[in-house]
Amino acid sequence: MHEILRLARSLRCDPADPGQAFAHRLRIGLAVAVLIFFLSTLG
């Protein structure tokens, strides 16, 4: 669990540009969704 939290902190991005922040969060969200999808199809 600590490794996941450390990874989440390293992926955190707080740019001054709101559009860039939104795009970053969208990419991270899509990556998490794909990971959940693959894990759910394997299990």
Side-chain angles (χ1 to χ4, degrees), residues 1 3 5-6 8 11-12 14 16 22 25-28 30 33-34 36 41-42:
M1 186 67 182
E3 291 83 12
L5 292 175
R6 192 173 356 163
L11 290 175
R12 188 173 176 178
D14 292 327
F22 176 75
R25 290 187 186 112
L26 186 63
R27 285 192 300 271
I28 297 299
L30 285 174
V34 168
I36 291 171
T41 56
L42 292 175

Side-chain angles (χ1 to χ4, degrees), residues 1-2 8-10 17-20 23-24 26 28 31-32 34 40-41:
M1 186 67 182
H2 293 290
R9 279 190 217 107
S10 70
D17 182 20
Q20 187 179 5
H24 178 77
L26 186 63
I28 297 299
V32 169
V34 168
S40 66
T41 56

